[in-house]
Amino acid sequence: MKKINLLIGTFLTTVALSHAVDSYSDVVGYSKVSIPVGTRAVVPGFVKTAAFTGSGVVSGQSVGSSGLVANALNPTQVGTGAPDFPTHYLEITAGAYEGYSFDVSSNTGTSVTVAGLPSNLNGTTISYVIRRHLTLGDIDASGLPDGNVVLNVFNNPNVAATTFLYDAGGNWYDGSGSFLMNHAVIYPGTGISLNNTGGACQINFTGVVKSTKTAIPVYRLAAQNLVGPMNPSTNTTLTQWAAPLPADTVANVLTTAGDNNVSLTLLTDTGSTILYDGGGNPLASTLIQGQNALSMSAMSQDGYVVFNSPLNP
């Protein structure tokens, strides 16, 4: 096996987007991300094609639906000793919770049960899309150099990092190398950190460009929260967050040169969407390179960061 640390964030060199003929079709494409020697954090900029789109009434943790095949959205059941993961998630596509997503735990033909729906949605009708999760197995890592590749996923208040090893045969394993983990999930807007010791290389992503906001949970007790805009093609001009961040949040923009250094520190104010530099001065705008990551910390409470879609900035 080869060695590289995957943390969330990478450098985008080439992106091709194709727009389907009718305006209701998804914008799909691919990105070629250059990985220099050293540590880079990357945010995969795509999601999967919608498995279901509709609306329904919320009842507890269930949402009304129609025309689904019972149990088709259930979590994995690998049965090998490896942990199971959700296979699908429900994302709200309009209203105050646009961009918030929730793992699907089960479904019938007429309802979908998820985890974590806010209680104030109970009894309301929501518009939503259901998508299959992006997984480690969806990453085209064939361009990684020979040697060990170690992928670290953060954004977890309970563990410092979850480690995965890449096999030159194209598979991902758990940190011990015992269990196949291609089914491990990468959530929208979260990143992976790559420590490349084998020479400059490339990693590729493909999928659908999101047309809605993306809400990403950030945790006060996480060793690190790696997040970023779902923008695979160009720099994002960020003048403010799409929604207020938790109080006292510090967001460090990471460099793309492989040194994992901080190129810019952003501060927020309680209840505010305005960005400030490290000296507390309001920022007119901030450029975040395509698929680059922010490392967020020093929060006084858990919360969410919300980014606009590159299609609806």
Side-chain angles (χ1 to χ4, degrees), residues 43-244:
V43 177
F46 300 103
V47 294
K48 295 290 193 70
T49 301
F52 180 86
T53 302
S55 61
V57 177
V58 176
S59 177
Q61 292 298 303
S62 294
V63 183
S65 184
S66 63
L68 295 177
V69 176
N71 303 315
L73 308 178
N74 286 3
T76 58
Q77 294 181 333
V78 294
T80 62
D84 289 317
F85 285 85
T87 58
H88 292 77
Y89 63 96
L90 179 151
E91 179 190 330
I92 298 174
T93 56
Y97 287 96
E98 178 189 343
Y100 285 70
S101 58
F102 309 91
D103 286 329
V104 174
S105 57
S106 64
N107 77 282
T108 67
T110 58
S111 70
V112 180
T113 300
V114 302
L117 273 178
S119 59
N120 61 345
L121 289 177
N122 192 44
T124 66
T125 299
I126 61 171
S127 298
Y128 63 90
V129 61
I130 296 174
R131 300 184 190 275
R132 179 173 286 276
H133 272 297
L134 181 74
T135 66
L136 295 183
D138 294 318
I139 300 173
D140 177 4
S142 59
L144 294 175
D146 291 336
N148 285 341
V149 177
V150 180
L151 186 153
N152 290 313
V153 176
F154 300 94
N155 298 42
N156 190 325
N158 301 313
V159 295
T162 302
T163 298
F164 301 95
L165 306 177
Y166 180 69
D167 183 277
N171 293 309
W172 294 95
Y173 291 84
D174 72 325
S176 69
S178 302
F179 299 114
L180 187 66
M181 296 296 290
N182 288 337
H183 62 298
V185 167
I186 303 173
Y187 287 91
T190 63
I192 50 179
S193 179
L194 195 83
N195 177 21
N196 178 12
T197 60
C201 59
Q202 179 178 292
I203 195 168
N204 303 321
F205 300 101
T206 187
V208 173
V209 180
K210 285 193 76 210
S211 60
T212 55
K213 296 176 182 178
T214 302
I216 310 150
V218 289
Y219 302 100
R220 180 177 63 88
L221 295 180
Q224 188 168 198
N225 292 285
L226 291 176
V227 305
M230 293 291 287
N231 189 346
S233 60
T234 59
N235 295 340
T236 297
T237 302
L238 195 65
T239 56
Q240 62 181 32
W241 308 111

